[in-house]
Amino acid sequence: MQAHPENRSEFGVEGQFGNGWEWTSTEFGPLQGFEPFPFYLGYSANFFDGKHFVIKGGSPRTAACMLRPSFRNWFQAHYQYVYAGFRCVKN
């Protein structure tokens, strides 16, 4: 069972999953309880350097099994292949 069938959020917004990574202003670092992937020890920890920022979601190049709003990755602003965008949020 999908959490968001047909790419629609619980608020009825469509087409947000997998269209592009969402940039955040959060520095990429370990979350509480962080443990590196046993098969790729350097994938995250090597980028806890203050130069990388959190991006969330996914892009057309992200494996479908990983696409979800909470998926967290890292990039730097000068990377040309990030497939990132932004969302405007009003509180």
Side-chain angles (χ1 to χ4, degrees):
M1 179 176 181
Q2 289 182 310
H4 302 287
E6 298 182 24
N7 198 10
R8 180 179 296 198
S9 77
E10 62 261 25
F11 303 104
V13 180
E14 297 181 5
Q16 294 190 42
F17 305 141
N19 290 331
W21 289 100
E22 181 179 349
W23 278 100
T24 75
S25 59
T26 304
E27 192 175 297
F28 187 70
L31 297 175
Q32 186 175 355
F34 169 77
E35 291 184 27
F37 289 118
F39 57 89
Y40 198 175
L41 295 175
Y43 181 73
S44 292
N46 289 350
F47 301 96
F48 300 158
D49 59 8
K51 298 176 186 175
H52 292 81
F53 291 85
V54 172
I55 55 177
K56 293 181 107 181
S59 78
R61 300 286 187 226
T62 305
C65 64
M66 299 165 116
L67 287 177
R68 61 186 183 277
S70 62
F71 186 71
R72 209 174 85 109
N73 211 340
W74 48 262
F75 273 95
Q76 292 184 19
H78 67 275
Y79 290 178
Q80 298 176 12
Y81 51 88
V82 68
Y83 295 99
F86 69 94
R87 292 192 187 115
C88 295
V89 178
K90 183 176 179 181
N91 190 344

